[in-house]
Amino acid sequence: SSSSAASDVYKRQLQQEQGANRLEENEERLRLALSAAGLGLADIDLQSGRLIVNEGYNRILGRSLDQSHETLSAALACIHPDDRQHALDTFRRYLNNSVRKKPGELYQEFRIRDTANNWIWVASLSKLVAWDDRGVPSRMLATLTNINPRKEFEQGLETAHRETNRLLHESTQARLALLGVCLLYTSDA
């Protein structure tokens, strides 16, 4: 009987160790996947306003990689003034519409200040993952992606499109002027 109890204790310890090993392996896979995708991750406690962030989040913002805590208010204060109100309003609508129900994801693009005081474009994809007993959102996970290269490309396309339209307009004006001269010349002949 005592050997059976010892065997049960041993089995439970073995199961706990195996569970802990699987958890560590899954955490490592997640770290590798986030790193490979260039994603930052923030785990947001909506009740306290505390964020726990990963190395990718810090890398995007040019911070020390070992900085793991931040406040929601500090993170929101880093958003570009021209983007901040829209981002806050969208965030609040998402939270208000998510009381007592499982929401979709919240996708936003905005500029954020990095530690070198540069504005970089980021995409944030967030999802509520926990609610309190009253159904009020209490925890959110958010990924952060640097989309500066894409925004610069889009801006280059926009500039090229404007220049193309300007050249087409000038070309049309020149052809019309030439046609006018030709018509004037042929009517005089």
Side-chain angles (χ1 to χ4, degrees), residues 3 39 42 45 54-55 63 70 73 87 96 124 130-131 137 140 142 147 165:
S3 71
L39 295 174
D45 180 333
N54 73 343
E55 287 182 2
R63 297 180 180 166
E70 182 172 14
S73 59
N96 290 337
S124 172
W131 291 258
M140 174 184 269
I147 59 168
N165 283 338

Side-chain angles (χ1 to χ4, degrees), residues 41-186:
L41 178 68
D43 186 342
I44 307 164
D45 180 333
L46 295 168
Q47 307 294 323
S48 69
R50 301 278 301 161
L51 278 75
I52 298 173
V53 300
N54 73 343
E55 287 182 2
Y57 183 95
N58 290 326
R59 189 173 290 114
I60 290 169
L61 298 178
R63 297 180 180 166
S64 167
L65 297 183
D66 60 354
Q67 181 179 340
S68 63
H69 290 81
E70 182 172 14
T71 64
L72 184 56
S73 59
L76 295 173
C78 291
I79 296 175
H80 192 284
D82 293 345
D83 303 336
R84 188 176 301 132
Q85 194 59 52
H86 181 264
L88 284 171
D89 291 346
T90 304
F91 180 72
R92 286 185 187 119
R93 266 193 314 279
Y94 176 76
L95 290 179
N96 290 337
N97 292 332
S98 300
V99 173
R100 300 188 193 285
K101 67 177 184 174
K102 304 287 188 228
E105 297 167 335
L106 172 62
Y107 179 84
Q108 296 193 81
E109 295 181 0
F110 48 84
R111 289 164 290 182
I112 194 163
R113 186 187 313 270
D114 67 10
T115 54
N117 281 328
N118 298 313
W119 293 109
I120 58 170
W121 278 98
V122 295
S124 172
L125 181 61
S126 307
K127 186 170 178 96
L128 289 168
V129 295
W131 291 258
D132 66 14
D133 294 339
R134 299 167 311 193
V136 176
S138 61
R139 184 176 176 209
M140 174 184 269
L141 293 178
T143 59
L144 196 67
T145 308
N146 181 340
I147 59 168
N148 229 33
R150 189 192 88 205
K151 286 295 191 175
E152 289 171 356
F153 179 75
E154 288 172 356
Q155 189 174 34
L157 282 178
E158 210 173 285
T159 301
H161 181 71
R162 277 195 309 274
E163 181 64 11
T164 300
N165 283 338
R166 184 187 67 75
L167 291 172
L168 282 172
H169 179 74
E170 288 178 5
S171 158
T172 301
Q173 294 299 332
R175 282 183 294 192
L176 288 174
L178 183 58
L179 180 62
V181 169
C182 289
L183 287 175
L184 189 64
Y185 181 74
T186 57

Side-chain angles (χ1 to χ4, degrees), residues 8-23:
D8 288 344
V9 169
Y10 175 73
K11 285 180 186 176
R12 277 196 300 272
Q13 286 178 336
L14 186 60
Q15 287 173 340
Q16 287 175 343
E17 286 178 22
Q18 289 171 341
N21 288 340
R22 281 193 302 273
L23 182 60

